């Protein structure tokens, strides 16, 4: 599947084709906590209104990052708990799994955070998240009409995302 | 699939879509010329070029990170090397070199041997204070600001 004309930098990771939808939701946040994108494919249960949901998600990730960095037994240099770590510095968590879902997370040094919630048996999605970041660059960062820091409204981006996410198991 | 390590500027440059170098140079020249006609004041033009570069830089950083796959640089020296070797190579196809480090390691110069922007360009006497490549300064400033590094680029 080629999304970029002729370019092969980020070939889609080889995954077995799966029928139906395995992803539940996806969030994209920027460094200030603004939710740039929220997509939902399969979410039977809504507990909070969207604003609270986004805030909760961002807060959760912020705390988790801080906690995992602080608890790191390997890395010598640690900030104080609660102090924001620069994106990309120190150790960073990449996923957690419960009995009903798995949440995968990726943060770039520029502060863009991509979160994908899928079913619990999903494998490691780090490559997929990198690919999605590549999609973000192509359709959003390069879009001259897009105002950085505001929610993304690009149809092309949504379509490409849909297509890609449906194909990962 | 095995994770792809950080790629060299060369590899990336050869694999992305490119535009004709002359077209790029001439377009940039036309932009600067139009700015000079509109604004007439050389300092204003410098500021505009810097602002344009800044707007480009804040988006460019995402593309740079996505395509090169590098992780966070440990210190400023590494950052400067990264910009000069990978960044310039990736986007302009030329390699820059870093030099003139000051005692603290907080200030350096990035030298471009052959700058595609200035091919065929001659500055007349009326525009002697013009920083013709100020857009590049803006790009670097914008990009670094998005990775939490406040810099001044001249």
């Amino acid at each position: 599947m080629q999304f970029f004309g002729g370019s092969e930098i980020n070939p889609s990771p080889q995954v077995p084709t799966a029928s139906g939808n395995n992803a539940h939701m996806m969030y994209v946040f920027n460094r200030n906590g603004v939710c740039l994108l929220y997509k939902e494919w399969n979410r039977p249960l809504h507990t909070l209104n969207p604003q609270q949901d986004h805030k909760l998600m961002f807060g959760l990730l912020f705390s988790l990052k801080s906690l995992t960095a602080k608890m790191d037994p390997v890395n010598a240099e640690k900030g104080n708990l609660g102090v924001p770590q620069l994106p990309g510095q120190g150790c960073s968590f990449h996923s957690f799994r419960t009995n009903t879902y798995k949440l995968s997370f990726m943060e770039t040094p520029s502060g863009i955070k991509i979160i994908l919630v899928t079913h619990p048996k999903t494998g490691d999605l780090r490559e997929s998240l990198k690919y999605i970041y590549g999609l973000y660059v192509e359709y959003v960062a390069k879009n001259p009409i897009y105002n950085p820091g505001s929610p993304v409204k690009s149809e092309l981006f949504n379509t490409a995302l849909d297509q890609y996410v449906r194909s990962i198991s | 699939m095995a994770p792809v390590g950080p790629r060299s500027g060369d590899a990336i440059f050869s694999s992305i879509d490119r535009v004709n170098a002359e077209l790029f140079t001439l377009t940039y020249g036309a932009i600067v010329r139009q700015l000079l006609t509109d604004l007439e004041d050389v300092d204003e033009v410098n500021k505009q070029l810097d602002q344009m570069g800044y707007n480009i830089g804040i988006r460019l950083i995402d593309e740079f990170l996505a395509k090169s796959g590098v992780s966070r640089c440990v210190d400023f020296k590494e950052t400067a090397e990264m910009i000069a070797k990978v960044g310039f190579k990736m986007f302009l196809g030329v390699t820059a070199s870093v030099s003139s480090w000051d005692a603290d390691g907080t200030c350096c110069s990035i030298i471009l041997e052959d700058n595609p922007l200035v091919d065929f360009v001659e500055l007349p006497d009326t525009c002697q204070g013009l920083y013709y490549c100020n857009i590049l300064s803006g790009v670097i400033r914008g990009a670094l600001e998005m990775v939490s590094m406040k810099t001044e680029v001249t």
Side-chain angles (χ1 to χ4, degrees):
Chain A
M1 248 198 292
Q2 294 270 347
F3 289 115
F4 323 128
S7 128
E8 287 184 16
I9 308 153
N10 256 341
S12 183
Q14 291 303 317
V15 284
T17 50
S19 62
N21 229 337
N22 288 304
H24 294 273
M25 305 101 79
M26 175 165 149
Y27 300 78
V28 179
F29 290 101
N30 77 350
R31 61 210 314 241
N32 298 323
V34 175
C35 183
L36 302 178
L37 183 77
Y38 168 65
K39 277 195 79 71
E40 170 178 302
W41 292 280
N42 179 17
R43 187 178 189 176
L45 180 65
H46 285 92
T47 46
L48 303 165
N49 80 32
Q51 270 72 39
Q52 286 178 315
D53 188 53
H54 298 330
K55 277 198 239 179
L56 180 67
M57 182 59 79
F58 188 75
L60 166 75
L61 293 166
F62 184 81
S63 314
L64 263 178
K65 271 192 312 165
S66 207
L67 179 75
T68 49
K70 189 72 183 163
M71 299 276 290
D72 188 354
V74 171
N75 204 352
E77 163 218 293
K78 297 178 217 206
N80 296 316
L81 196 59
V83 169
Q85 286 245 311
L86 292 176
Q89 208 174 31
C91 78
S92 60
F93 87 98
H94 51 84
S95 61
F96 70 74
R97 185 175 9 216
T98 72
N99 52 342
T100 46
Y101 67 91
K102 177 175 186 184
L103 183 143
S104 309
F105 169 73
M106 182 185 89
E107 178 167 27
T108 70
S110 58
I112 304 288
K113 306 178 206 336
I114 306 187
I115 295 107
L116 198 55
V117 178
T118 55
H119 71 82
K121 297 229 176 33
T122 317
D124 187 13
L125 283 178
R126 268 179 288 185
E127 284 306 309
S128 305
L129 289 175
K130 283 209 191 107
Y131 184 74
I132 293 177
Y133 182 47
L135 280 181
Y136 168 82
V137 161
E138 276 300 310
Y139 290 110
V140 177
K142 286 190 180 174
N143 184 350
I145 316 177
Y146 170 64
N147 188 9
S150 64
V152 174
K153 293 196 170 43
S154 160
E155 270 311 309
L156 270 177
F157 181 51
N158 282 327
T159 321
L161 257 187
D162 258 335
Q163 241 183 324
Y164 177 66
V165 170
R166 271 170 223 277
S167 75
I168 48 180
S169 64
Chain B
M1 185 179 112
V4 179
R7 319 200 13 175
S8 74
D10 268 325
I12 309 171
F13 183 66
S14 51
S15 60
I16 54 181
D17 298 330
R18 283 167 279 176
V19 295
N20 184 316
E22 273 104 36
L23 176 65
F24 181 62
T25 310
L26 290 175
T27 310
Y28 184 65
I31 294 177
V32 178
R33 198 156 164 332
Q34 191 58 43
L35 277 174
L36 279 169
T37 321
D38 287 340
L39 299 171
E40 281 172 33
D41 176 31
V42 167
D43 287 321
E44 268 302 310
V45 175
N46 288 340
K47 260 203 320 199
Q48 273 299 326
L49 283 175
D50 188 71
Q51 187 57 34
M52 284 161 64
Y54 179 77
N55 291 334
I56 296 177
I58 57 182
R59 298 159 185 265
L60 197 90
I61 182 68
D62 277 319
E63 185 174 355
F64 176 73
L65 289 170
K67 301 236 160 89
S68 66
V70 297
S71 61
R72 197 165 182 84
C73 294
V74 174
D75 60 9
F76 185 54
K77 284 208 161 79
E78 202 181 326
T79 313
E81 284 291 321
M82 195 63 73
I83 297 175
K85 298 276 164 344
V86 185
F88 273 109
K89 186 76 200 158
M90 196 164 128
F91 290 109
L92 291 179
V94 295
T95 320
S97 49
V98 188
S99 61
S100 336
W101 281 102
D102 75 343
D104 293 331
T106 57
C107 182
C108 70
S109 301
I110 299 185
I111 320 281
L112 281 157
E113 246 85 83
D114 55 293
N115 186 349
L117 291 177
V118 304
D119 287 339
F120 320 126
V121 174
E122 268 174 32
L123 280 187
D125 295 325
T126 49
C127 314
Q128 278 311 314
L130 180 69
Y131 297 138
Y132 189 75
C133 299
N134 218 23
I135 205 166
L136 292 178
S137 320
V139 171
I140 298 179
R141 186 171 65 94
L144 286 179
E145 191 166 308
M146 293 306 275
V147 287
S148 333
M149 205 178 281
K150 190 152 170 287
T151 50
E152 241 183 65
V153 189
T154 51

